Amino acid sequence: MRAYNFNAGPAAIPLPVLERAQKELVNFNNTGMSVMELSHRSKDYEEVHNRANSLLRELLGIPDNYEVLFLQGGASLQFTMIPMNFLKSGQTGHFITTGSWSEKALKEAKTFGETRILASSKEDNYTHIPTNYSLNDVENGAYLHITSNNTIFGTQWKEYPQSPIPLIADMSSDILCTEIDVEKFDLIYAGAQKNLGPSGVTVVIVKKEFLETAKEDVPTILKYSTHSKNNSLYNTPPTFAIYMLSLVLEWVKEQGGVKQIQKINEEKAGYIYSAIDESNGFYKGHAEKNSRSLMNITFTLQNEELTKKFLQEAKERQFIGLAGHRSVGGCRASTYNAVPKEACEALAKFMTEFKNQNS
Amino acid sequence: MRAYNFNAGPAAIPLPVLERAQKELVNFNNTGMSVMELSHRSKDYEEVHNRANSLLRELLGIPDNYEVLFLQGGASLQFTMIPMNFLKSGQTGHFITTGSWSEKALKEAKTFGETRILASSKEDNYTHIPTNYSLNDVENGAYLHITSNNTIFGTQWKEYPQSPIPLIADMSSDILCTEIDVEKFDLIYAGAQKNLGPSGVTVVIVKKEFLETAKEDVPTILKYSTHSKNNSLYNTPPTFAIYMLSLVLEWVKEQGGVKQIQKINEEKAGYIYSAIDESNGFYKGHAEKNSRSLMNITFTLQNEELTKKFLQEAKERQFIGLAGHRSVGGCRASTYNAVPKEACEALAKFMTEFKNQNS
């Protein structure tokens, strides 16, 4: 039986994608080799590589004046590469902090230059996306950094800031979850292991004009321009992870694209949020309603003992990954694109049953 | 039909490894999930992770006072991380340059501090491993960096320097090819895509005592200590690549370990070097005999036209990846651990046939 996979990342991958990868694993495209045995300079691999690039462009409506890069090191390496490339002396990196990941991005930027917290929901234990900030006095800002979705706290931006300075977003946990206007951003980055495929590849979407403003004195491999000039083939890319990314993107397209995926995600999250809201306080959502994430649904039960019982019974029914992050506790259901509607319906049903039996 | 895969990297992976990965791809260890869908904090994944670590320790005889790390970014990121962590102000990084990859390592180190070329075979177009160097005046050296095998030129160190300062080796293209004495080295690194598995994971073996001398003012993700303190789980590791690494290591063990693999590698390379040496000059080896690599066999034919014809006919017989690197030309057969003996025999036979028909 296939598990109901609510892992926070690495996370579910669409079953048809896994089945296709399985079928092709030993002999890709009649080459007599696995895709992971192909030279990254071969025609067969380059087709995979370029297909992943063009599918992402198509699905997100990425304009031609943006580069799409496939890097390694996850969002954590981006936390360092961004200030290394773009936080110039005499300028300030502005941050809106909405959880642990934005805090980490801020912490790394601090070691490279001036930073400022423009707004934060830290005092409220990150239950919401801040709205009480002004963008009037950021003129000398190098950039404004946000985290579009907060896996640990279960909040998500609904409307992005109209930033007068370059806007950078960590979209690791919600890229391709809803339609976005790429042109609002100068740089978007996302580790693949939530909505894009397996861990080991990081997608960067960067405006060419912004790229041209980057600092020069950066080590070769940590310069975005090194990768943009070489179609992400400066050094050996993580070829199998990029192949899996290409298959996941094909799958998103087959579902009807991001617009349709968004509709399904709203339904999926809807089942679980309804189970919370209709539980008469048996379950309590961590996030404020207008900041609720479509991707990570965080909630608590009345006490530790009940939480433990809930997680235990859930596990017995093959619901995987429902324990909240160790820094918050409680429960979390991650309902990324590849988590099927049936899994979310089944979880909502189980939550209601468990409530009825334990209240 | 399975191709005769002589790719320089990404390269051949043992067929039984691919078949096992295929079998387990959709449902790993009865979890109802693919290995790439597992949380990196789950028991199932941690077993894979720790198994890769302990198998590598066993196969290479790595002592307890060494850390084994699984990183991302390939050797190219190591070129930057090494001087960032270990090239201190007032000290010198010493290099013996034996090809393009050592030159790249040197180039990146230069941007962080003082460097010195202790020896080089550049003037001879890297046909051999230098022996005309002295290690008497390196007292203030931060480290001595070597590249144990040179994929492009087809040379390989047979005896490592007895270095009075920490010895660092890029073993990307020959790790596990022959038995080595790890205790001679302070740091060994290797991108996986030649002898260890798919691209996307980099193995680092580092002496704890050396690690403790590292600089402090290094970005978190680029500090070796960040990864050693967290068993390479500080951020999400490339879980599928590490899983494949664990399967390749199992396979090496089943073959009888590195000692037996070395014996097979000597036979394999022997077939092809014999075809060169017995060709009466029809094929000319690039490397000097005492520097010949067991992993990358480089040779030229008398002219461009004949080379083209050779590569074309080879391709028709499913010999893949025989064109020399674009910077050298000619031909190259990469005979990594996973390339079967039969493939090497078949290539040697073809080379002799081609010679007989064209001389």
Side-chain angles (χ1 to χ4, degrees), chain A residues 1-3 5 7 9-13 18 21-23 25-26 31-33 36-40 72-73 76 80 84 108 112 193 199-200 219-221 235-240 320, chain B residues 1-3 5 7 9-13 18 21-23 25-26 31-33 36-40 72-73 76-77 80 84 108 112 193 199-200 219-221 235-240:
Chain A
M1 180 202 161
R2 186 130 166 99
N5 186 346
N7 277 329
I13 289 176
L18 291 173
Q22 181 173 47
K23 197 167 154 238
L25 198 82
V26 175
T31 55
M33 295 177 273
M36 54 187 119
E37 297 180 296
L38 299 177
S39 166
H40 59 300
Q72 294 185 60
S76 298
T80 287
M84 235 182 194
E108 293 308 314
F112 290 93
Q193 66 268 21
S199 60
T220 314
I221 193 78
N235 62 332
T236 313
T239 55
F240 186 77
I320 304 296
Chain B
M1 180 202 159
R2 186 128 167 99
N5 187 346
N7 277 330
I13 289 176
L18 291 173
Q22 181 174 45
K23 195 166 157 241
L25 198 83
V26 174
T31 54
M33 295 177 274
M36 54 187 120
E37 297 180 296
L38 300 176
S39 166
H40 60 299
Q72 295 185 58
S76 298
L77 186 56
T80 287
M84 235 181 191
E108 294 308 314
F112 290 93
Q193 66 268 20
S199 61
T220 314
I221 192 78
N235 62 332
T236 314
T239 55
F240 186 77

Coordinates of all heavy atoms in Angstrom, one line a residue, chain A residues 1-3 5 7 9-13 18 21-23 25-26 31-33 36-40 72-73 76 80 84 108 112 193 199-200 219-221 235-240 320, chain B residues 1-3 5 7 9-13 18 21-23 25-26 31-33 36-40 72-73 76-77 80 84 108 112 193 199-200 219-221 235-240:
Chain A
M1 N 0.8 -1.2 0.0 CA 0.0 0.0 0.0 C 0.9 1.2 0.0 O 1.9 1.3 0.7 CB -0.9 0.0 1.3 CG -1.8 1.2 1.3 SD -2.3 1.5 3.1 CE -2.9 3.2 3.0
R2 N 0.5 2.2 -0.8 CA 1.2 3.5 -0.9 C 0.9 4.3 0.4 O -0.3 4.4 0.8 CB 0.8 4.2 -2.1 CG 1.6 5.5 -2.4 CD 2.2 5.5 -3.7 NE 2.7 6.9 -4.0 CZ 3.9 7.3 -3.9 NH1 4.9 6.4 -3.6 NH2 4.3 8.5 -4.2
A3 N 1.9 4.8 1.0 CA 1.7 5.6 2.3 C 1.0 7.0 1.9 O 1.1 7.5 0.8 CB 3.0 5.9 2.9
N5 N 1.7 10.3 2.3 CA 2.9 11.0 2.7 C 2.7 12.5 2.9 O 2.6 13.2 1.9 CB 3.9 10.7 1.5 CG 5.3 11.2 1.8 OD1 5.5 12.0 2.8 ND2 6.3 10.8 1.0
N7 N 5.1 14.3 4.6 CA 6.4 14.7 4.9 C 6.6 16.2 4.5 O 6.2 16.6 3.5 CB 7.5 13.9 4.3 CG 7.8 12.6 5.1 OD1 7.6 12.6 6.3 ND2 8.2 11.6 4.4
G9 N 9.5 17.5 3.7 CA 10.5 17.7 2.7 C 11.8 17.1 3.1 O 12.3 17.5 4.2
P10 N 12.4 16.2 2.3 CA 11.9 15.6 1.1 C 10.5 15.0 1.3 O 10.1 14.6 2.4 CB 12.9 14.4 0.8 CG 14.2 14.9 1.5 CD 13.8 15.7 2.7
A11 N 9.7 15.1 0.3 CA 8.3 14.9 0.4 C 7.8 14.0 -0.8 O 8.6 13.5 -1.5 CB 7.6 16.2 0.4
A12 N 6.5 13.9 -0.8 CA 5.8 13.1 -1.9 C 6.2 13.5 -3.3 O 6.4 14.7 -3.6 CB 4.3 13.2 -1.7
I13 N 6.4 12.5 -4.1 CA 6.6 12.7 -5.6 C 5.5 12.0 -6.3 O 5.0 11.0 -5.8 CB 8.0 12.2 -6.0 CG1 9.1 13.1 -5.4 CG2 8.2 12.0 -7.5 CD1 10.5 12.6 -5.6
L18 N 7.3 8.6 -10.4 CA 8.1 7.5 -9.9 C 8.1 6.3 -10.8 O 9.1 5.6 -11.1 CB 7.7 7.1 -8.5 CG 8.0 8.2 -7.4 CD1 7.3 7.7 -6.1 CD2 9.5 8.4 -7.2
A21 N 10.2 6.9 -13.9 CA 11.6 6.9 -13.6 C 12.0 5.4 -13.4 O 13.1 5.0 -13.8 CB 11.9 7.7 -12.3
Q22 N 11.2 4.6 -12.8 CA 11.5 3.2 -12.5 C 11.6 2.5 -13.8 O 12.6 1.7 -14.0 CB 10.4 2.6 -11.7 CG 10.6 1.1 -11.4 CD 9.6 0.6 -10.4 OE1 8.4 0.8 -10.6 NE2 10.0 -0.1 -9.4
K23 N 10.7 2.7 -14.7 CA 10.7 2.0 -16.0 C 12.0 2.4 -16.8 O 12.6 1.5 -17.4 CB 9.5 2.5 -16.8 CG 9.1 1.6 -18.0 CD 7.7 1.9 -18.5 CE 7.6 1.5 -20.0 NZ 7.2 2.6 -20.9
L25 N 14.9 3.5 -15.6 CA 16.1 3.6 -14.8 C 17.3 2.9 -15.3 O 18.4 3.5 -15.2 CB 15.8 3.1 -13.3 CG 16.9 3.7 -12.4 CD1 16.6 5.1 -12.0 CD2 17.1 2.8 -11.2
V26 N 17.1 1.8 -15.9 CA 18.3 1.0 -16.4 C 18.7 1.4 -17.8 O 19.8 1.4 -18.2 CB 18.1 -0.5 -16.2 CG1 19.3 -1.3 -16.8 CG2 18.0 -0.8 -14.7
T31 N 19.4 4.3 -24.8 CA 20.8 4.5 -24.9 C 21.6 3.3 -24.4 O 22.8 3.3 -24.6 CB 21.2 5.7 -24.0 OG1 20.7 5.4 -22.6 CG2 20.6 7.0 -24.5
G32 N 20.9 2.4 -23.8 CA 21.7 1.3 -23.2 C 22.4 1.7 -21.9 O 23.2 1.0 -21.3
M33 N 21.9 2.9 -21.4 CA 22.5 3.4 -20.1 C 21.4 4.0 -19.3 O 20.3 4.4 -19.8 CB 23.5 4.5 -20.4 CG 24.7 4.1 -21.2 SD 25.9 5.4 -21.6 CE 25.2 6.0 -23.1
M36 N 21.5 8.4 -15.2 CA 22.6 8.9 -14.4 C 24.0 8.4 -14.9 O 25.0 8.8 -14.3 CB 22.4 8.5 -12.9 CG 22.1 7.1 -12.6 SD 21.6 6.9 -10.8 CE 20.0 6.2 -10.9
E37 N 24.0 7.6 -15.9 CA 25.3 7.2 -16.5 C 25.6 8.1 -17.7 O 26.7 7.8 -18.3 CB 25.2 5.7 -16.9 CG 25.0 4.8 -15.8 CD 24.9 3.3 -16.3 OE1 24.0 3.0 -17.1 OE2 25.8 2.5 -15.9
L38 N 24.8 9.0 -18.1 CA 25.0 9.8 -19.3 C 26.0 10.9 -19.0 O 26.0 11.5 -17.9 CB 23.7 10.4 -19.8 CG 22.6 9.6 -20.2 CD1 21.4 10.4 -20.6 CD2 22.9 8.7 -21.4
S39 N 26.9 11.2 -19.9 CA 27.7 12.4 -19.8 C 26.8 13.6 -19.7 O 25.8 13.7 -20.5 CB 28.7 12.5 -21.0 OG 29.3 13.8 -21.0
H40 N 27.2 14.6 -18.9 CA 26.4 15.8 -18.8 C 26.7 16.7 -20.1 O 26.0 17.7 -20.3 CB 26.7 16.6 -17.6 CG 28.1 17.0 -17.4 ND1 29.2 16.1 -17.3 CD2 28.7 18.2 -17.3 CE1 30.3 16.7 -17.2 NE2 30.1 18.0 -17.2
Q72 N 23.3 23.5 -6.8 CA 23.3 22.5 -5.7 C 23.4 23.3 -4.4 O 23.5 24.5 -4.3 CB 24.5 21.6 -5.8 CG 24.5 20.7 -7.1 CD 25.7 19.7 -7.1 OE1 25.8 18.9 -6.2 NE2 26.5 19.8 -8.1
G73 N 23.2 22.6 -3.3 CA 23.4 23.2 -1.9 C 22.2 23.6 -1.2 O 22.2 24.1 -0.1
S76 N 19.9 26.7 1.8 CA 21.0 27.1 2.8 C 22.2 27.7 2.1 O 22.8 28.6 2.6 CB 21.4 25.9 3.6 OG 20.4 25.4 4.4
T80 N 23.8 32.2 1.6 CA 25.1 32.7 1.6 C 25.4 33.4 0.2 O 26.0 34.5 0.1 CB 26.2 31.6 1.8 OG1 26.1 31.3 3.2 CG2 27.6 32.0 1.5
M84 N 26.6 37.4 -0.8 CA 27.9 37.3 -1.4 C 27.9 38.1 -2.8 O 28.8 38.8 -3.1 CB 28.3 35.9 -1.7 CG 29.6 35.5 -1.1 SD 30.0 33.8 -1.5 CE 31.3 33.5 -0.4
E108 N 22.8 34.7 7.9 CA 23.9 34.6 7.0 C 24.3 35.9 6.3 O 25.4 36.2 6.2 CB 23.7 33.5 6.0 CG 23.6 32.1 6.5 CD 24.8 31.7 7.4 OE1 25.9 31.9 7.0 OE2 24.5 31.1 8.5
F112 N 27.9 39.3 5.9 CA 28.4 40.0 4.7 C 28.2 41.5 4.6 O 28.9 42.1 3.8 CB 27.8 39.3 3.4 CG 28.2 37.9 3.2 CD1 27.5 36.9 3.7 CD2 29.4 37.7 2.5 CE1 27.9 35.5 3.5 CE2 29.9 36.4 2.3 CZ 29.1 35.3 2.8
Q193 N 13.1 19.8 -3.0 CA 12.6 18.6 -2.3 C 11.2 18.8 -1.7 O 10.8 18.0 -0.9 CB 13.6 18.2 -1.3 CG 13.8 19.1 -0.1 CD 15.0 20.1 -0.4 OE1 15.4 20.3 -1.5 NE2 15.5 20.7 0.7
S199 N 15.6 15.9 -3.3 CA 16.6 16.9 -2.8 C 17.9 16.7 -3.7 O 18.1 15.7 -4.3 CB 16.9 16.6 -1.4 OG 17.5 15.3 -1.2
G200 N 18.6 17.8 -3.7 CA 19.9 17.8 -4.4 C 20.0 18.7 -5.6 O 21.0 18.9 -6.2
P219 N 33.9 33.9 -5.3 CA 34.6 32.7 -5.8 C 33.7 32.2 -7.0 O 32.5 32.2 -7.0 CB 34.5 31.7 -4.7 CG 34.5 32.6 -3.4 CD 33.7 33.9 -3.9
T220 N 34.4 31.7 -8.0 CA 33.8 31.3 -9.3 C 32.5 30.5 -9.1 O 31.5 30.8 -9.7 CB 34.8 30.4 -10.1 OG1 36.1 31.0 -10.1 CG2 34.4 30.2 -11.5
I221 N 32.6 29.4 -8.3 CA 31.5 28.5 -8.2 C 30.3 29.1 -7.5 O 29.2 28.6 -7.6 CB 31.9 27.2 -7.5 CG1 30.9 26.1 -7.7 CG2 32.3 27.4 -6.0 CD1 30.9 25.4 -9.0
N235 N 30.0 23.2 -14.1 CA 30.6 21.9 -13.5 C 29.5 20.9 -13.6 O 28.4 21.2 -14.1 CB 31.0 22.1 -12.1 CG 29.9 22.5 -11.1 OD1 29.0 23.1 -11.6 ND2 30.1 22.1 -9.9
T236 N 29.8 19.6 -13.2 CA 28.8 18.6 -13.4 C 27.5 18.8 -12.6 O 27.6 18.9 -11.4 CB 29.4 17.2 -13.0 OG1 30.7 17.1 -13.6 CG2 28.5 16.1 -13.5
P237 N 26.4 19.0 -13.2 CA 25.2 19.2 -12.4 C 24.7 17.9 -11.9 O 25.1 16.8 -12.3 CB 24.2 19.8 -13.5 CG 24.6 19.2 -14.8 CD 26.1 19.0 -14.7
P238 N 23.7 18.0 -10.9 CA 23.1 16.8 -10.3 C 22.1 16.2 -11.4 O 20.9 16.5 -11.3 CB 22.4 17.3 -9.1 CG 22.1 18.7 -9.3 CD 23.2 19.2 -10.3
T239 N 22.7 15.5 -12.3 CA 21.9 15.1 -13.5 C 20.6 14.3 -13.2 O 19.6 14.6 -13.8 CB 22.7 14.3 -14.5 OG1 23.3 13.2 -13.9 CG2 23.9 15.2 -15.1
F240 N 20.7 13.4 -12.3 CA 19.5 12.6 -12.0 C 18.4 13.4 -11.4 O 17.2 13.3 -11.7 CB 19.8 11.4 -11.1 CG 18.6 10.5 -11.0 CD1 18.2 9.6 -12.0 CD2 17.9 10.5 -9.8 CE1 17.1 8.8 -11.9 CE2 16.8 9.6 -9.7 CZ 16.4 8.8 -10.7
I320 N 2.0 9.5 7.2 CA 3.4 9.6 7.5 C 3.7 11.1 7.6 O 3.2 11.9 6.8 CB 4.3 9.0 6.4 CG1 3.9 7.5 6.2 CG2 5.8 9.2 6.7 CD1 4.2 6.6 7.4
Chain B
M1 N 20.3 -3.7 -25.7 CA 21.7 -4.1 -25.3 C 22.3 -3.0 -24.5 O 22.1 -1.8 -24.7 CB 22.5 -4.2 -26.6 CG 24.0 -4.6 -26.4 SD 25.0 -4.1 -27.9 CE 26.6 -4.0 -27.1
R2 N 23.1 -3.4 -23.5 CA 23.7 -2.4 -22.6 C 25.0 -1.9 -23.3 O 25.8 -2.6 -23.9 CB 24.1 -3.2 -21.3 CG 24.7 -2.3 -20.3 CD 24.0 -2.4 -18.9 NE 24.8 -1.8 -17.9 CZ 24.5 -0.6 -17.4 NH1 23.5 0.1 -17.9 NH2 25.3 0.0 -16.5
A3 N 25.1 -0.5 -23.2 CA 26.2 0.1 -23.9 C 27.5 -0.2 -23.2 O 27.6 -0.5 -22.0 CB 26.0 1.6 -23.9
N5 N 30.1 1.6 -21.7 CA 30.1 3.0 -21.2 C 31.5 3.4 -20.7 O 31.9 3.0 -19.6 CB 29.0 3.1 -20.1 CG 28.9 4.6 -19.7 OD1 29.7 5.4 -20.0 ND2 27.8 4.8 -19.0
N7 N 32.3 6.6 -20.5 CA 32.2 8.0 -20.2 C 33.1 8.4 -19.0 O 33.4 7.7 -18.1 CB 30.8 8.4 -19.7 CG 29.8 8.6 -20.9 OD1 30.2 9.1 -22.0 ND2 28.6 8.2 -20.7
G9 N 32.6 10.8 -16.8 CA 31.9 11.2 -15.6 C 30.9 12.3 -15.9 O 31.3 13.3 -16.4
P10 N 29.6 12.1 -15.5 CA 29.0 10.9 -14.9 C 29.3 9.7 -15.8 O 29.5 9.8 -17.0 CB 27.5 11.3 -15.0 CG 27.4 12.8 -14.9 CD 28.6 13.2 -15.6
A11 N 29.4 8.6 -15.2 CA 30.0 7.4 -15.8 C 29.1 6.1 -15.5 O 28.1 6.2 -14.9 CB 31.4 7.2 -15.4
A12 N 29.7 5.0 -15.8 CA 29.0 3.7 -15.6 C 28.7 3.5 -14.1 O 29.5 3.9 -13.3 CB 29.9 2.6 -16.1
I13 N 27.6 2.9 -13.9 CA 27.2 2.4 -12.5 C 27.0 0.9 -12.7 O 26.4 0.5 -13.7 CB 25.9 3.2 -12.1 CG1 26.3 4.7 -11.8 CG2 25.3 2.6 -10.8 CD1 25.2 5.6 -11.4
L18 N 22.0 -0.6 -10.4 CA 20.8 0.0 -11.1 C 19.6 -0.9 -11.0 O 18.5 -0.4 -10.8 CB 21.2 0.2 -12.6 CG 22.3 1.3 -12.9 CD1 22.6 1.3 -14.3 CD2 21.8 2.7 -12.4
A21 N 18.1 -0.5 -7.5 CA 17.5 0.8 -7.4 C 16.2 0.8 -8.1 O 15.2 1.4 -7.6 CB 18.4 1.9 -7.9
Q22 N 16.1 0.2 -9.3 CA 14.9 0.1 -10.0 C 13.8 -0.6 -9.3 O 12.7 -0.2 -9.2 CB 15.2 -0.5 -11.4 CG 14.0 -0.6 -12.3 CD 14.3 -1.2 -13.6 OE1 15.0 -2.2 -13.8 NE2 13.8 -0.5 -14.7
K23 N 14.2 -1.7 -8.7 CA 13.3 -2.6 -8.0 C 12.7 -1.8 -6.8 O 11.5 -1.9 -6.5 CB 14.0 -3.8 -7.6 CG 13.1 -5.0 -7.1 CD 13.8 -6.3 -7.0 CE 13.1 -7.2 -6.1 NZ 13.9 -7.6 -4.9
L25 N 12.5 1.5 -6.4 CA 12.3 2.9 -6.6 C 11.0 3.4 -6.1 O 10.9 4.5 -5.6 CB 12.5 3.2 -8.1 CG 12.7 4.8 -8.3 CD1 14.1 5.1 -8.0 CD2 12.2 5.3 -9.6
V26 N 9.9 2.7 -6.2 CA 8.6 3.2 -5.9 C 8.3 2.8 -4.4 O 7.6 3.6 -3.7 CB 7.5 2.6 -6.8 CG1 6.1 3.0 -6.4 CG2 7.7 3.1 -8.2
T31 N 8.1 0.8 2.9 CA 7.6 2.1 3.6 C 6.4 2.6 2.8 O 5.7 3.5 3.3 CB 8.7 3.2 3.5 OG1 9.1 3.3 2.1 CG2 9.9 2.8 4.4
G32 N 6.1 2.1 1.6 CA 5.1 2.7 0.8 C 5.5 4.0 0.2 O 4.7 4.7 -0.3
M33 N 6.8 4.2 0.2 CA 7.4 5.5 -0.4 C 8.7 5.1 -1.1 O 9.3 4.1 -0.8 CB 7.7 6.5 0.8 CG 6.5 7.0 1.5 SD 6.9 8.1 2.9 CE 7.2 6.9 4.2
M36 N 13.5 8.5 -2.2 CA 13.6 10.0 -2.3 C 12.4 10.8 -1.7 O 12.4 12.0 -1.7 CB 13.8 10.4 -3.8 CG 12.9 9.9 -4.8 SD 13.5 10.4 -6.5 CE 13.7 8.7 -7.2
E37 N 11.4 10.0 -1.3 CA 10.2 10.6 -0.6 C 10.3 10.6 0.9 O 9.5 11.1 1.7 CB 8.9 9.9 -1.0 CG 8.6 10.0 -2.5 CD 7.3 9.3 -2.8 OE1 7.3 8.0 -2.6 OE2 6.3 9.9 -3.2
L38 N 11.4 10.0 1.4 CA 11.6 9.8 2.9 C 12.1 11.1 3.5 O 12.9 11.8 2.9 CB 12.6 8.7 3.2 CG 12.3 7.3 2.7 CD1 13.5 6.4 3.1 CD2 11.1 6.8 3.4
S39 N 11.7 11.5 4.7 CA 12.3 12.6 5.4 C 13.7 12.3 5.7 O 14.0 11.1 6.0 CB 11.5 12.8 6.7 OG 12.2 13.7 7.5
H40 N 14.6 13.3 5.6 CA 16.0 13.0 5.9 C 16.2 12.9 7.4 O 17.3 12.6 7.9 CB 16.9 14.1 5.4 CG 16.6 15.5 5.9 ND1 15.3 16.1 5.6 CD2 17.3 16.4 6.5 CE1 15.3 17.3 6.2 NE2 16.5 17.5 6.7
Q72 N 27.5 18.7 -1.1 CA 27.0 19.0 -2.4 C 28.0 19.9 -3.1 O 28.9 20.4 -2.5 CB 25.6 19.6 -2.4 CG 24.5 18.8 -1.8 CD 23.2 19.4 -1.9 OE1 22.7 19.7 -3.0 NE2 22.5 19.6 -0.8
G73 N 27.8 20.1 -4.4 CA 28.6 21.1 -5.2 C 29.8 20.6 -5.9 O 30.5 21.3 -6.6
S76 N 34.4 21.2 -7.6 CA 34.5 22.6 -7.8 C 34.2 23.4 -6.6 O 34.8 24.5 -6.4 CB 33.5 23.0 -9.0 OG 33.9 22.4 -10.2
L77 N 33.2 23.0 -5.8 CA 33.0 23.7 -4.5 C 34.1 23.5 -3.5 O 34.4 24.4 -2.7 CB 31.6 23.4 -3.9 CG 31.2 24.2 -2.7 CD1 31.2 25.7 -3.0 CD2 29.8 23.8 -2.2
T80 N 36.9 25.9 -3.5 CA 36.7 27.1 -2.8 C 36.7 26.9 -1.3 O 37.2 27.6 -0.5 CB 35.4 27.8 -3.2 OG1 35.6 28.3 -4.5 CG2 34.9 28.9 -2.3
M84 N 39.1 28.5 1.8 CA 38.2 29.3 2.8 C 38.4 28.8 4.2 O 38.4 29.6 5.1 CB 36.8 29.1 2.4 CG 36.0 30.3 2.1 SD 34.3 29.9 1.7 CE 33.7 31.4 1.1
E108 N 41.4 28.9 -7.7 CA 40.5 29.4 -6.7 C 41.2 29.7 -5.4 O 40.8 30.7 -4.7 CB 39.4 28.3 -6.4 CG 38.5 28.1 -7.6 CD 37.8 29.3 -8.2 OE1 37.3 30.2 -7.4 OE2 37.9 29.5 -9.4
F112 N 42.1 33.5 -2.2 CA 42.0 33.5 -0.8 C 43.3 33.8 0.0 O 43.3 34.1 1.1 CB 41.4 32.2 -0.3 CG 39.9 32.0 -0.6 CD1 39.6 31.3 -1.8 CD2 38.9 32.6 0.2 CE1 38.3 31.2 -2.1 CE2 37.6 32.4 -0.2 CZ 37.3 31.7 -1.3
Q193 N 30.6 11.1 -9.1 CA 30.1 10.7 -10.4 C 31.1 9.9 -11.3 O 30.9 9.7 -12.4 CB 29.6 11.9 -11.2 CG 30.6 12.9 -11.6 CD 30.7 14.0 -10.6 OE1 30.4 13.9 -9.4 NE2 31.3 15.2 -11.0
S199 N 26.1 11.9 -10.0 CA 26.6 13.2 -9.6 C 25.6 13.8 -8.6 O 24.4 13.3 -8.5 CB 26.6 14.1 -10.9 OG 25.3 14.2 -11.5
G200 N 26.1 14.7 -7.8 CA 25.2 15.4 -6.9 C 25.6 15.2 -5.4 O 25.0 15.8 -4.5
P219 N 31.3 31.3 6.1 CA 29.8 31.2 6.1 C 29.4 29.7 6.6 O 30.1 28.8 6.2 CB 29.4 31.4 4.7 CG 30.5 32.3 4.1 CD 31.8 31.8 4.8
T220 N 28.4 29.7 7.4 CA 27.9 28.4 8.0 C 27.9 27.2 7.1 O 28.5 26.2 7.4 CB 26.5 28.6 8.5 OG1 26.4 29.8 9.2 CG2 26.1 27.5 9.5
I221 N 27.3 27.3 5.9 CA 27.1 26.2 5.0 C 28.5 25.8 4.4 O 28.6 24.7 3.9 CB 26.1 26.5 4.0 CG1 25.6 25.3 3.2 CG2 26.5 27.6 3.0 CD1 24.6 24.4 4.0
N235 N 21.7 20.6 6.8 CA 20.6 20.9 5.8 C 20.2 19.6 5.1 O 20.8 18.6 5.3 CB 20.9 22.0 4.9 CG 22.1 21.7 4.0 OD1 22.9 20.9 4.3 ND2 22.1 22.3 2.8
T236 N 19.2 19.7 4.3 CA 18.7 18.5 3.6 C 19.8 17.9 2.7 O 20.2 18.6 1.7 CB 17.5 18.7 2.7 OG1 16.6 19.5 3.5 CG2 16.8 17.5 2.3
P237 N 20.3 16.7 2.9 CA 21.3 16.2 2.0 C 20.7 15.7 0.7 O 19.5 15.5 0.6 CB 21.9 15.0 2.8 CG 20.8 14.6 3.7 CD 20.0 15.8 4.0
P238 N 21.5 15.4 -0.3 CA 21.0 14.8 -1.6 C 20.7 13.3 -1.3 O 21.5 12.5 -1.6 CB 22.1 15.0 -2.6 CG 23.4 15.1 -1.7 CD 23.0 15.6 -0.4
T239 N 19.5 13.1 -0.8 CA 19.3 11.7 -0.2 C 19.3 10.6 -1.2 O 19.9 9.5 -0.9 CB 17.9 11.7 0.5 OG1 16.9 12.1 -0.4 CG2 17.9 12.6 1.7
F240 N 18.8 10.8 -2.4 CA 18.8 9.7 -3.4 C 20.2 9.4 -3.8 O 20.6 8.3 -4.0 CB 17.9 10.1 -4.6 CG 17.8 8.9 -5.5 CD1 17.0 7.8 -5.3 CD2 18.5 8.9 -6.7 CE1 16.9 6.7 -6.1 CE2 18.5 7.8 -7.6 CZ 17.6 6.7 -7.3

